[in-house]
């Protein structure tokens, strides 16, 4: 069982909450209990789980990643997005979540964030049931 | 098959070796062969696999994370723990380990560490068998 | 179903593309559809998914990790490779990929990279089918 989520961003670096999209996809897939792999097939984007209540947390993550890995730090890759590749490796390209009774099992404050590092762009996130 | 581990810390940032707790939980769950998801449902904590032999390695990881993401670097999130959220995204909120003959398959020097970034606190770690 | 890949490096820090090795192992294992855990049992190495087309991307990731976590930043762990342990935690010790029709499902530009942080060394990568 697989599904694909379209994700669009409006900033160069942008953490976008996709928890609602993931929940609806689980419903479409008819998955009640199991594990879902949330996979980003891009090399200048990632996915993370963090606080979804206060949107300032996502802004702080964006700012800190830009401070640690600036866009203009003198890279070898000549396409102007080397920093985005490095950020993707620091954050990671997938998360695995448990699904119970048709819902992702997340902590109280947790949401699932697509992490755009070279936007704005139209992207996709691949979902697949593991062991299903 | 699922289980929950309680984890308590005594420092604001603290990598705590939970390998023994995970081993005992695998026994309780009766899992002999498969994969176990070790998931942190908190947004200011994470989990990593690293050297368990010399405890100084965990201290170096804590120190380096504090150097890269200081507690007082001027964040937007107003709860005083923005750095802990950023650290959680850098380290990640889950690891997946293989279990064989009732034991986690780890390298010689590897242990599983709960990573507290906004302690001391009482936390929990969620275990679930993937594909079970 | 499990398999082991040997990986040798020639530099202290080196991202090495192992996508071809993973593809061949999937063939040997006879896995057509499912998920494969690519696991590094070492504490001074990791694994990541990033761009495989331009090798300069891997060099930029190596350089940036060396800038953020220098080898000689004054660590407690006395074996001279504390930075390598920290880098391993930042990058992560495993990735999970979907396999469809006998091939890993990767994005157009994605490859799988073993990340050596304390080489040159002879290492191994453990593969296992999740939910198989």
């Amino acid at each position: 069982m697989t599904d694909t989520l379209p994700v669009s961003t409006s900033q160069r670096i942008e953490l976008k909450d996709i928890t609602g999209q993931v929940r609806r996809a689980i419903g479409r897939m008819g998955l009640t209990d199991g594990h879902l792999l949330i996979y980003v097939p891009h090399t200048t984007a990632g996915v993370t789980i963090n606080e979804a209540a206060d949107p300032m947390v996502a802004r702080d993550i964006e700012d800190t990643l830009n401070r640690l890995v600036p866009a203009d730090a003198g890279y070898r890759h000549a396409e102007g997005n080397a920093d985005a590749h490095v950020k993707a490796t620091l954050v990671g390209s997938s998360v695995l979540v448990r699904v119970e009774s048709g819902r992702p099992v997340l902590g109280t404050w947790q949401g699932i964030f697509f992490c755009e590092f070279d936007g704005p762009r139209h992207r996709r996130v691949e979902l697949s049931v593991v062991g299903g």
Side-chain angles (χ1 to χ4, degrees), chain A:
Chain A
M1 283 196 294
T2 64
D3 202 346
T4 300
L5 304 181
V7 181
S8 294
T9 51
S10 59
Q11 307 294 326
R12 180 162 195 272
I13 180 168
E14 178 180 346
L15 269 68
K16 183 163 185 176
D17 188 345
I18 59 169
T19 315
Q21 279 179 280
V22 171
R23 282 186 202 279
R24 289 189 291 277
I26 290 169
R28 279 198 303 273
M29 299 166 88
L31 174 63
T32 51
D33 295 280
H35 288 82
L36 188 71
L37 179 65
I38 302 167
Y39 184 87
V40 172
H42 308 287
T43 56
T44 52
V47 60
T48 193
I49 293 176
N50 215 304
E51 174 170 334
D54 177 7
M56 290 304 104
V57 169
R59 300 296 84 74
D60 284 328
I61 295 171
E62 296 162 2
D63 290 350
T64 306
L65 287 170
N66 276 336
R67 177 174 59 76
L68 294 173
V69 190
D72 56 356
Y75 300 97
R76 305 178 195 220
H77 181 57
E79 295 181 16
N81 61 358
D83 66 302
H85 288 287
V86 179
K87 286 163 179 154
T89 277
L90 289 178
V91 167
S93 56
S94 72
V95 294
L96 183 62
V97 297
R98 184 161 70 91
V99 173
E100 192 178 55
S101 304
R103 298 172 65 89
V105 180
L106 299 171
T108 310
W109 306 105
Q110 286 183 323
I112 303 161
F113 290 85
F114 177 82
C115 304
E116 175 62 73
F117 298 127
D118 188 31
R121 296 233 208 162
H122 299 291
R123 303 280 207 171
R124 65 185 206 274
V125 175
E126 304 285 359
L127 308 181
S128 56
V129 179
V130 179

